[in-house]
Amino acid sequence: MKLTLDTVDKNSVFLLLVARRRLLDLDQYDKIIVSYSGGKDSLAMLLHLIEMDVDLSKVEIWHQHVDGAPGILGLFDWPCTHGYVKATGQHFGSPTLFQWKDGGIEDEMNRDDAPTKGVYYETLDGETKYLPPSAKAGPHGSPLWRKLRRAPRF
C-alpha cells in the first residue's frame, strides 16, 4: 500500500517526514534537548550521549510534570521524581527545566465543554512563565500543519 496523506494518520505524517530527513552530526547543534521522564529509557539516552562524546554543556534536560505543578500528588508523578530528575541534571552538569499543564492531566481528562488550560514552563534564568491556551495554535492551525497538507504525496 502506498503511503499518502490520505492513507496515513495525520499525526504520523510529521514522524514519517522527520524519519526521511538526515540529521546533522550532534556536534553541529547548539542545543540538545532530552525529554527526560526519569525512567530507564531517558537515562539510557543521556548515557548514550556521553558515549558519543557529546558536549554535555549543550544538553538540556526537560521534564514534563504530568500531574501539574511540582509537588502536587496526583495520578502519575511519583513524589520522588522531581528531586531525582533535578539531581540527574546536576550530576551530569546539564540544566534541568520543568513544564506542566495548568491543572495537570486530571483536569485535562475531566474537562467537559471547557477550553484547555495553559502551560507553565521554566526558563534557563530561573523564571516560571505561563503560556495561555490562546497562544498555542494547535496542530490544525499551525504553519507546519498547513505546509503538510500542501505537501506532495509520497
Side-chain angles (χ1 to χ4, degrees), residues 22-87:
R22 297 190 67 186
L23 297 176
L24 299 172
D25 289 333
L26 290 177
D27 61 350
Q28 294 184 36
Y29 290 96
D30 296 329
K31 184 183 295 189
I32 299 169
I33 297 170
V34 175
S35 183
Y36 189 75
S37 68
K40 64 183 183 318
D41 295 329
S42 49
L43 180 58
M45 176 55 71
L46 281 173
L47 296 174
H48 183 63
L49 291 173
I50 291 169
E51 287 177 349
M52 295 175 64
D53 289 325
V54 167
D55 178 4
L56 290 180
S57 67
K58 292 180 172 185
V59 174
E60 289 181 9
I61 296 172
W62 288 14
H63 177 77
Q64 291 71 39
H65 282 290
V66 177
D67 289 325
I72 292 182
L73 295 178
L75 299 173
F76 297 102
D77 292 322
W78 290 88
C80 62
T81 300
H82 183 86
Y84 174 74
V85 169
K86 199 162 215 37

Side-chain angles (χ1 to χ4, degrees), residues 7-27:
T7 62
V8 175
D9 174 13
K10 301 292 187 211
N11 294 326
S12 302
V13 172
F14 178 73
L15 297 175
L16 289 171
L17 292 177
V18 168
R20 294 174 77 185
R21 294 185 63 202
R22 297 190 67 186
L23 297 176
L24 299 172
D25 289 333
L26 290 177
D27 61 350

Side-chain angles (χ1 to χ4, degrees), residues 87-149:
T88 302
Q90 289 170 346
H91 176 78
F92 290 112
S94 299
T96 305
L97 302 171
F98 296 90
Q99 305 85 38
W100 59 93
K101 183 91 170 164
D102 187 10
I105 193 170
E106 192 167 9
D107 275 11
E108 192 67 15
M109 290 186 312
N110 290 325
R111 67 187 175 96
D112 186 19
D113 291 327
T116 188
K117 294 182 179 178
V119 174
Y120 290 92
Y121 64 97
E122 296 178 347
T123 64
L124 286 173
D125 59 6
E127 288 184 73
T128 298
K129 296 192 174 188
Y130 179 73
L131 181 66
S134 60
K136 299 182 291 180
H140 301 295
S142 70
L144 175 62
W145 183 258
R146 288 191 298 272
K147 184 177 180 179
L148 287 174
R149 289 191 48 94

